[in-house]
Amino acid sequence: MGNVLSRNGSLGSVLGKRAADHDDRDNVKRMKSEPTETDAGITAFVNPNLPGFHGIIKYRLVLAKKMHEVDLDNHVVRLSSLDARAIEQKEEKIKAAIPTMTASEFDDHIAQLFGEDLSKQLRTLLNSPNDTETTLTFEFSKEQRFAFYDAFDQLKLEKKPHMSSKDGVLTVKWPKDEADKGRDPAPNFEALGGEYLQFHVYKSGVENTKAVSWVAQFAGVKESKIGFAGTKDARAVTVQAMTIHKARVKNLLQARQELNERKIYIGDFNYVPNGLTLGDLKGNRFSIVLRDVSGISEQEIVRSVESLKENGFINYFGMQRFGTSAIMTHEVGYQILKKDFKEACELILKPRPGDRADFENARIQWQETRNPEQAAKMFPRAATSENAVLRSYTRFPNNHKKAILSLPRRMLSMYLHAYQSYVWNHVVSERIKRFGCDKPLVGDIVLEDAVNTTKNKTSTRGRGRGRGGSAGRRFPTMRKQPKVLTEDDLTLYSIEDVVYPIPGHRTVYPKNEVGDIYRDLLEKDQIVFDKSEQYMKDLAGDYRPMLAKADDLEWSLIRYDDPCAPLCYTDLDRIVNKDEPTNIPDGKHLALRIEFTLGTSQYATMALREILRYDTSSKAQARHVHTE
């Protein structure tokens, strides 16, 4: 891959030794060092004069990070209640508002709907609750069905028969036992607020996909009916909203014990008119504890945090985007985009330092035997990419492109997007190296509202997970368009308005030296975004602000003695009336508690990096040792 150097430098290989010909000799050299921020193009800072300090983001299994979703109305999603009292109270008000119908009025109403004979048969059935053998069936229209259920609601019987409808036939009978009762009639969704049951999900150390799967399993709903706005960090305590189309509260309540055992808690139930789809959020609010702070005075901490609050940080794609392996995700993506599918498969399967023993043994098996069936038997189920490639090789030997295209869509997208992110990081780092990050340049790009045309009528509703009657909360909006700045524009925009492109087949590049960096890098890497290739069709490109702000930033210092002392206070702690962590004035250790809100696709680790000044890769963080 191409590299960006200084103004007077030339473009070489971005990976340097890491992008050699990948023969065995070069691979030994290549994998001696683990991935660092520099390998991902992360090198610059907004304020280069901050001193940096030691602080541990993650220490053993002690909670250090909370993440709360921020919805489209800019409300922070929190877990405040575990019961369904609000809905129960609303249901009681709805029932109380329903007019009462006497038995004779009910009979007359049924006679008008279905005729005198059926009315008499139904009355006989209702007067015989012990008769579990008689079943009354009759055909109906949609309007008749609604009117029939409304009449039963107004009759207000203490004990109701079981009623069900299917294929235009309504069945009424007294159940023999609990199992024979069948499903309760659907609630009045419109009166309750909408067809979607929304609830808040608190999870600790659980992947998003696993949480959704468990909610579906224990609540007895289809996983595809569960909607959510975004995925959350599995290594943190997270709170987010989810929705299920036409769900019953009691099903969720019955699932609570199983979910609680898996560190998932649900509550704040409410019916809403629109379900959630991916992207229906403003961002996330982070609460992070940096333990064992040292190497800096408290005055310098104040200066560093205030600088972050005032000036923001470089909006890099964080190290999570590039994986934790010695072979980084963007390296695989690079080979795929270059259409060197054989090398991409090699990178996925080859041995690397730091692997778990089962992965290592399976990789060695593949390297030594080139037998996909034998290697596949040794890889664990968690090896999603490896197993997909090997299964494809078993059926289609040496068809490397087919093997890559057999990857699960999310994995293939991860590799491709990682390369795009890598290019963005490198270009922005070089831009700051050459021109700083305090003002826009002629030829830079900002985004402005598109011209209103009849062509732009696409709605985001009904797309993605949780679709139903009205899934999605983002109203149809016109996509913003890139504008290239002229000399006259410079006084109208600030550096916070400047965006740089994520490369793709529809990307508009800056009309200045930064644009040259993009073109030279992609040309050196031999990358052309070819939308005739099915797997590249979605790589249209996008635009990302160069700088980001940590909004609503709050912080405090707390002293403590026990390195494992709980210093985070969660929503669940508040619900169960757990005591908040308290400051020990003469405590041996100092911690910085910091909270801020970021937009979507912005990384909290990149905000912290601005003040810490050390590598935020997971392996680099793991080397930090808490003082005794």
Side-chain angles (χ1 to χ4, degrees):
M1 286 181 269
N3 189 19
V4 284
L5 300 177
S6 64
R7 183 191 297 264
N8 297 321
S10 61
L11 287 167
S13 169
V14 162
L15 292 178
K17 295 181 181 179
R18 297 175 65 87
D21 293 332
H22 299 293
D23 61 25
D24 291 341
R25 181 184 61 242
D26 286 331
N27 280 325
V28 171
K29 294 180 181 178
R30 176 186 181 284
M31 294 189 294
K32 277 185 177 179
S33 61
E34 62 191 36
T36 63
E37 287 183 346
T38 302
D39 295 319
I42 302 169
T43 61
F45 297 96
V46 171
N47 184 349
N49 299 317
L50 295 181
F53 57 91
H54 174 273
I56 299 176
I57 299 175
K58 183 178 180 182
Y59 181 65
R60 296 181 180 174
L61 298 178
V62 182
L63 173 64
K65 181 179 177 183
K66 297 186 298 178
M67 184 178 181
H68 289 79
E69 191 168 271
V70 179
D71 66 20
L72 290 174
D73 294 321
N74 219 32
H75 297 142
V76 178
V77 177
R78 300 188 185 278
L79 186 70
S80 59
S81 172
L82 298 176
D83 58 46
R85 201 168 300 146
I87 288 182
E88 291 169 355
Q89 291 173 350
K90 190 178 289 187
E91 288 176 333
E92 290 172 2
K93 288 182 180 180
I94 292 170
K95 288 179 182 178
I98 296 174
T100 301
M101 185 180 286
T102 65
S104 60
E105 289 172 338
F106 175 82
D107 294 344
D108 291 342
H109 187 65
I110 298 301
Q112 292 176 9
L113 288 172
F114 300 103
E116 193 71 36
D117 288 344
L118 189 91
S119 177
K120 291 179 179 179
Q121 293 176 48
L122 182 57
R123 171 51 55 195
T124 300
L125 182 67
L126 293 178
N127 291 338
S128 308
N130 295 323
D131 180 6
T132 58
E133 300 300 326
T134 301
T135 300
L136 189 61
T137 60
F138 48 96
E139 295 182 352
F140 64 90
S141 67
K142 183 178 179 181
E143 292 75 17
Q144 286 175 319
R145 176 166 60 91
F146 286 140
F148 181 78
Y149 284 136
D150 285 343
F152 258 100
D153 287 339
Q154 295 179 44
L155 188 57
K156 297 185 179 180
L157 294 175
E158 290 186 11
K159 183 180 179 182
K160 287 186 178 182
H162 167 58
M163 296 175 287
S164 62
S165 59
K166 185 177 181 180
D167 299 329
V169 176
L170 210 157
T171 301
V172 184
K173 66 176 183 177
W174 289 106
K176 295 179 181 179
D177 49 37
E178 289 295 320
D180 193 37
K181 276 189 174 181
R183 195 180 187 195
D184 292 337
N188 187 337
F189 293 115
E190 183 178 356
L192 286 170
E195 291 187 348
Y196 288 85
L197 176 60
Q198 177 172 294
F199 52 101
H200 294 172
V201 180
Y202 170 110
K203 58 185 182 67
S204 177
V206 180
E207 290 183 352
N208 225 78
T209 53
K210 182 60 72 175
V212 170
S213 176
W214 280 334
V215 170
Q217 177 184 345
F218 299 123
V221 299
K222 292 182 179 179
E223 193 172 323
S224 59
K225 282 197 168 187
I226 301 178
F228 53 86
T231 58
K232 307 302 175 192
D233 192 343
R235 296 163 295 182
V237 164
T238 67
V239 184
Q240 67 189 110
M242 292 188 184
T243 57
I244 306 177
H245 189 229
K246 292 188 174 180
R248 320 293 178 93
V249 176
K250 72 172 188 178
N251 293 347
L252 273 295
L253 295 177
Q254 291 168 358
R256 286 186 299 183
Q257 183 175 344
E258 293 283 0
L259 294 174
N260 293 355
E261 291 174 358
R262 291 160 176 80
K263 297 184 179 180
I264 300 173
Y265 297 83
I266 57 176
D268 300 287
F269 301 98
N270 188 32
Y271 281 99
V272 294
N274 301 114
L276 288 167
T277 57
L278 286 172
D280 287 341
L281 76 166
K282 278 283 185 68
N284 295 284
R285 183 154 184 84
F286 296 88
S287 302
I288 299 171
V289 174
L290 297 174
R291 293 173 183 264
D292 199 28
V293 171
S294 61
I296 189 173
S297 67
E298 292 192 13
Q299 291 75 16
E300 287 176 320
I301 293 175
V302 173
R303 184 167 72 89
S304 297
V305 175
E306 289 301 320
S307 175
L308 174 62
K309 184 176 183 178
E310 178 68 24
N311 303 312
F313 60 98
I314 310 299
N315 194 23
Y316 284 124
F317 291 95
M319 292 300 290
Q320 302 97 305
R321 192 79 161 189
F322 305 99
T324 58
S325 169
I327 296 176
M328 300 168 74
T329 53
H330 71 281
E331 300 176 59
V332 179
Y334 162 57
Q335 298 296 341
I336 296 172
L337 289 169
K338 202 173 71 166
K339 301 184 182 181
D340 190 343
F341 302 107
K342 179 180 180 181
E343 183 59 24
C345 291
E346 282 296 299
L347 289 176
I348 290 171
L349 294 172
K350 68 171 48 177
R352 66 213 54 197
D355 248 352
R356 271 173 24 188
D358 50 356
F359 277 79
E360 181 180 10
N361 293 336
R363 294 188 195 284
I364 292 173
Q365 174 73 15
W366 166 252
Q367 188 177 51
E368 293 179 349
T369 68
R370 295 288 161 165
N371 186 316
E373 290 183 86
Q374 289 182 15
K377 290 177 182 178
M378 297 183 67
F379 271 110
R381 290 181 62 183
T384 306
S385 295
E386 292 85 348
N387 284 321
V389 169
L390 292 171
R391 282 195 300 269
S392 182
Y393 274 162
T394 300
R395 296 182 61 198
F396 310 101
N398 297 318
N399 191 329
H400 310 297
K401 182 176 182 179
K402 187 175 284 291
I404 287 297
L405 297 184
S406 73
L407 291 168
R409 183 174 179 179
R410 65 181 179 84
M411 298 302 296
L412 180 57
S413 295
M414 177 190 73
Y415 291 131
L416 301 178
H417 292 161
Y419 175 79
Q420 293 175 300
S421 305
Y422 169 84
V423 171
W424 191 94
N425 280 359
H426 267 279
V427 171
V428 166
S429 289
E430 185 63 15
R431 192 269 193 208
I432 295 170
K433 181 179 179 180
R434 299 185 189 189
F435 306 108
C437 58
D438 58 338
K439 59 185 178 182
L441 307 172
V442 172
D444 271 348
I445 294 175
V446 297
L447 295 178
E448 60 180 4
D449 291 337
V451 177
N452 189 4
T453 67
T454 56
K455 291 182 180 180
N456 204 335
K457 293 183 178 179
T458 304
S459 168
T460 61
R461 293 194 175 197
R463 297 179 181 175
R465 302 183 64 97
R467 59 177 176 263
S470 187
R473 300 183 181 180
R474 289 161 291 157
F475 291 102
T477 55
M478 292 173 291
R479 183 182 178 87
K480 289 183 177 292
Q481 292 183 340
K483 169 185 172 65
V484 179
L485 297 182
T486 65
E487 187 75 43
D488 294 338
D489 294 322
L490 294 185
T491 58
L492 304 177
Y493 298 93
S494 73
I495 191 63
E496 293 180 13
D497 298 312
V498 172
V499 298
Y500 282 111
I502 297 169
H505 54 74
R506 291 177 55 186
T507 298
V508 174
Y509 293 101
K511 305 297 183 184
N512 54 24
E513 196 170 325
V514 181
D516 295 337
I517 297 171
Y518 273 104
R519 283 183 286 273
D520 290 345
L521 193 154
L522 294 173
E523 182 180 343
K524 189 72 177 181
D525 281 359
Q526 303 173 48
I527 299 299
V528 175
F529 291 93
D530 181 5
K531 63 180 178 181
S532 67
E533 290 279 6
Q534 184 65 33
Y535 67 92
M536 291 195 203
K537 278 190 174 180
D538 291 337
L539 302 181
D542 206 345
Y543 301 89
R544 183 177 178 87
M546 184 175 75
L547 300 185
K549 280 292 187 74
D551 292 330
D552 302 317
L553 190 149
E554 300 175 358
W555 63 277
S556 64
L557 296 172
I558 183 170
R559 288 199 167 274
Y560 61 102
D561 286 325
D562 182 0
C564 295
L567 301 178
C568 273
Y569 194 64
T570 69
D571 291 355
L572 187 61
D573 292 336
R574 186 175 294 107
I575 289 173
V576 301
N577 295 317
K578 191 174 180 180
D579 291 336
E580 289 192 51
T582 56
N583 180 61
I584 301 175
D586 56 350
K588 293 188 295 183
H589 309 295
L590 180 67
L592 170 63
R593 297 193 293 196
I594 186 168
E595 294 189 22
F596 49 81
T597 299
L598 299 181
T600 57
S601 191
Q602 294 179 348
Y603 292 79
T605 50
M606 295 296 97
L608 295 177
R609 172 185 175 272
E610 177 69 23
I611 59 175
L612 290 173
R613 301 299 160 106
Y614 66 66
D615 197 300
T616 58
S617 63
S618 60
K619 291 183 178 178
Q621 292 179 41
R623 287 195 294 269
H624 290 280
V625 178
H626 200 295
T627 57
E628 293 301 325

